[in-house]
Amino acid sequence: KAGVTQTPRYLIKTRGQQVTLSCSPISGHRSVSWYQQTPGQGLQFLFEYFSETQRNKGNFPGRFSGRQFSNSRSEMNVSTLELGDSALYLCASSSENRATNEKLFFGSGTQLSVL
Amino acid sequence: DAKTTQPNSMESNEEEPVHLPCNHSTISGTDYIHWYRQLPSQGPEYVIHGLTSNVNNRMASLAIAEDRKSSTLILHRATLRDAAVYYCILVILNSGYALNFGKGTSLLVTP
């Protein structure tokens, strides 16, 4: 079974631009969540989607948005990029609805650099 | 929000047991304790989880205090491949997967 796939692996953008990151979950998984990882703040939760609906949202500005398609693939978008948005963006998928004993499977992430 | 506290770093010798502590004094009765680890240049991977009883799997053991305010991840024989950042996380019932990873413990394994 293929794992969680994130594309692209690396991305370089300039301030003010926007960016779209893609995540393909493990086949059959319906929950996709996104995390931002920086050296200073560690791993922070962005949002989670289940069956095309945003179920949870972290404490990030509205410039960060996402969506999920009917095949469970997800995209996240960051508009008006700032230098502080430079980070590793991780996507995770899981199979069950609100099962607290369910594992998350992470992709390898997209490393975004904003210049 | 329920929060966990872990040491920033720990060091172990190869083939020795490692005990990674985690404090979660504000844990609620229905919160599960999960452990993930992140190897360099990779996303986190699941290690183990538990609710009240101690748990064992092929990767590690999880010892949970009787009052559930702390837990310990036990790697029985550390290998160089176990060098990673280990995260202790509370999975809060009815919150979906909005996990608070914190900063974790960076484990260094020396030969």
Side-chain angles (χ1 to χ4, degrees):
Chain A
K1 215 175 193 181
V4 177
T5 304
Q6 291 190 247
T7 56
R9 186 71 178 91
Y10 300 95
L11 205 49
I12 300 175
K13 292 285 188 178
T14 56
R15 278 181 299 174
Q17 287 187 309
Q18 75 164 15
V19 66
T20 299
L21 312 180
S22 179
C23 173
S24 293
I26 290 172
S27 177
H29 285 193
R30 295 196 293 163
S31 167
V32 173
S33 49
W34 289 87
Y35 292 80
Q36 181 195 66
Q37 186 170 32
T38 59
Q41 298 297 319
L43 261 169
Q44 294 185 284
F45 171 75
L46 279 158
F47 28 66
E48 183 216 0
Y49 287 86
F50 182 85
S51 294
E52 302 180 65
T53 301
Q54 187 180 84
R55 188 163 64 177
N56 287 287
K57 189 175 190 309
N59 189 25
F60 277 81
R63 300 185 297 107
F64 292 82
S65 62
R67 59 178 176 168
Q68 187 180 32
F69 302 95
S70 58
N71 62 358
S72 292
R73 191 177 70 85
S74 177
E75 289 181 347
M76 69 162 281
N77 183 278
V78 188
S79 63
T80 320
L81 283 166
E82 301 176 0
L83 295 178
D85 297 332
S86 295
L88 180 66
Y89 289 88
L90 290 157
C91 162
S93 75
S94 59
S95 63
E96 284 192 51
N97 183 359
R98 294 181 183 273
T100 57
N101 59 350
E102 189 56 49
K103 307 173 194 178
L104 284 183
F105 294 84
F106 281 84
S108 295
T110 294
Q111 183 67 54
L112 172 65
S113 298
V114 181
L115 306 178
Chain B
D1 282 351
K3 194 176 167 181
T4 62
T5 305
Q6 300 177 252
N8 289 333
S9 62
M10 291 184 66
E11 192 169 338
S12 173
N13 294 321
E14 198 176 8
E15 300 195 4
E16 294 288 321
V18 182
H19 291 234
L20 297 164
C22 180
N23 287 316
H24 28 79
S25 58
T26 59
I27 190 170
S28 298
T30 51
D31 294 344
Y32 283 78
I33 302 158
H34 283 231
W35 284 80
Y36 283 78
R37 72 179 186 181
Q38 187 173 21
L39 280 65
S41 303
Q42 295 186 26
E45 66 171 341
Y46 168 86
V47 176
I48 200 167
H49 76 275
L51 183 62
T52 55
S53 304
N54 295 344
V55 183
N56 300 297
N57 67 20
R58 63 173 182 81
M59 288 181 72
S61 295
L62 176 60
I64 301 172
E66 197 170 329
D67 63 5
R68 301 211 326 128
K69 295 188 178 203
S70 65
S71 60
T72 302
L73 178 71
I74 302 165
L75 306 179
H76 296 286
R77 288 183 65 198
T79 69
L80 297 178
R81 288 179 297 178
D82 291 323
V85 178
Y86 287 79
Y87 297 96
C88 167
I89 303 153
L90 298 183
V91 180
I92 301 165
L93 190 65
N94 294 325
S95 73
Y97 294 107
L99 302 187
N100 180 0
F101 275 79
K103 299 288 181 69
T105 297
S106 179
L107 175 65
L108 174 66
V109 180
T110 53

